Each structure stands twice: as C-alpha cells, then as structure tokens.
Amino acid sequence: MEELLSAAFPGASFTLSNDSAKHHGHAGDDGSGESHFSLAIEWAGFAGQSRVARQRAVNKALGDMPGERVHALAIRAKAPGE
C-alpha cells in the first residue's frame, strides 16, 4: 500500500497503521493479520477538495486492495495547515 500511495501522492506524508490485531475474530478478519488499517495522509493536492473526494482519491490509488485484500481502511486525509 505504501508504494501505491507514494506513487499516487508525490511529496505526501503519511502513516499507515495495521490495526488487524484489534479486530481478531471480528467480521472481515481473515487470519492474515492484514485486514484492518488506518491511514493518515497529508498532501498539498488535497487543498480545496472535500473529505469524500480525498477518500475517493485514496481508494482509487489503492485499486482493488480495499474490499478485496483489505477488509477495512480508515482514512484521515488533509491538506497542509488543516
């Protein structure tokens, strides 16, 4: 995921956290240890975009990963200074 995000959002700073252990045994936990993630991303290109547009951009960058290999991805996307 980090490579895809870096390619789609050049110059962005982000933190990707694997939260799967917190969801062990819950719906969507496939036992792989890679089912639930949180992403905090700051990118200048998000300036002027709505929260929904930012989340759509992140999901587009990740392709079929959310919903296929990743059950849940919490996204906090902002522009610098927000």
Side-chain angles (χ1 to χ4, degrees):
M1 278 196 274
E2 292 177 348
E3 290 177 15
L4 294 170
L5 292 167
S6 292
F9 306 106
S13 61
F14 61 87
T15 303
L16 183 64
S17 303
N18 185 338
D19 301 328
S20 300
K22 298 176 189 175
H23 300 276
H24 181 72
H26 295 180
D29 176 28
D30 62 3
S32 69
E34 295 188 346
S35 60
H36 294 73
F37 291 85
S38 296
L39 171 66
I41 182 168
E42 183 177 296
W43 184 54
F46 288 143
Q49 291 186 8
S50 70
R51 180 180 57 85
V52 172
R54 294 170 184 188
Q55 291 188 356
R56 285 181 179 155
V58 169
N59 285 323
K60 182 178 178 182
L62 295 176
D64 65 354
M65 194 172 290
E68 290 288 324
R69 292 179 39 208
V70 174
H71 173 71
L73 175 63
I75 301 169
R76 192 176 84 234
K78 62 181 187 173
E82 293 183 340

